[in-house]
Each structure stands twice: as structure tokens, then as C-alpha cells.
Amino acid sequence: LTEHRGITLAQLKRVEACVEDDCHHWQDLYNGTAVTKETANLYHVNTWLIKPSTNADNCAFVELLTSTEQRPEWFCSHWWG
């Protein structure tokens, strides 16, 4: 269930470390510039990490980080527009 897919701070820090380690291989698809850990944003993370990781299993990204339910204490969302 979606409401059981909270992500912990420790898991977010793992994602951040992965971005820092791998983003030098990424390219901004809008302007073609190289992505650095200073310029990486959620669009880059979604394009280069989240979508490729989740497409094969058609799963939520957090499901790749844990196999147990993680009920969040609070919820925030974002808008891609």
C-alpha cells in the first residue's frame, strides 16, 4: 500500500551517497551539460536513478530499499509542473 512506503532519513542518505558517487556519469537532458553533485536535482535523480531502477520490476523506489512496511510519521509531496 502507498501509505506503507515511507522512506527513512538513513535511506535518503544512501540515495544521496549514490547520487554523489554516480552523477558524474549523468547528463542533463534539457541542456546537455554534465551533472555534478552540486547541480544534481530531482529531475536528474528521477531520470538516471529512480526510473531505471524501478522499470524492470514496476515497483516503487522505496521497495528497492526495504522489504518491510514503513509507515511515515508525516507526508510531503511535490509537483512536477
Side-chain angles (χ1 to χ4, degrees):
L1 297 172
T2 300
E3 60 268 23
H4 297 167
R5 294 181 181 156
I7 189 167
T8 67
L9 181 57
Q11 290 164 337
L12 281 174
K13 288 183 178 190
R14 284 176 43 207
V15 173
E16 179 183 33
C18 182
V19 170
E20 289 180 1
D21 289 345
D22 294 337
C23 69
H24 64 278
H25 297 291
W26 303 350
Q27 176 181 327
D28 187 297
L29 298 181
Y30 179 72
N31 61 24
T33 60
V35 177
T36 67
K37 67 180 185 177
E38 291 81 20
T39 63
N41 60 41
L42 189 56
Y43 291 104
H44 300 130
V45 174
N46 189 54
T47 297
W48 296 102
L49 178 64
I50 296 172
K51 282 189 172 186
S53 299
T54 59
N55 278 344
D57 293 330
N58 193 30
C59 64
F61 186 69
V62 74
E63 292 176 285
L64 301 174
L65 303 175
T66 182
S67 60
T68 61
E69 291 182 1
Q70 295 183 159
R71 293 177 181 255
E73 292 183 26
W74 49 273
F75 173 81
C76 66
S77 188
H78 63 279
W79 178 57
W80 286 101

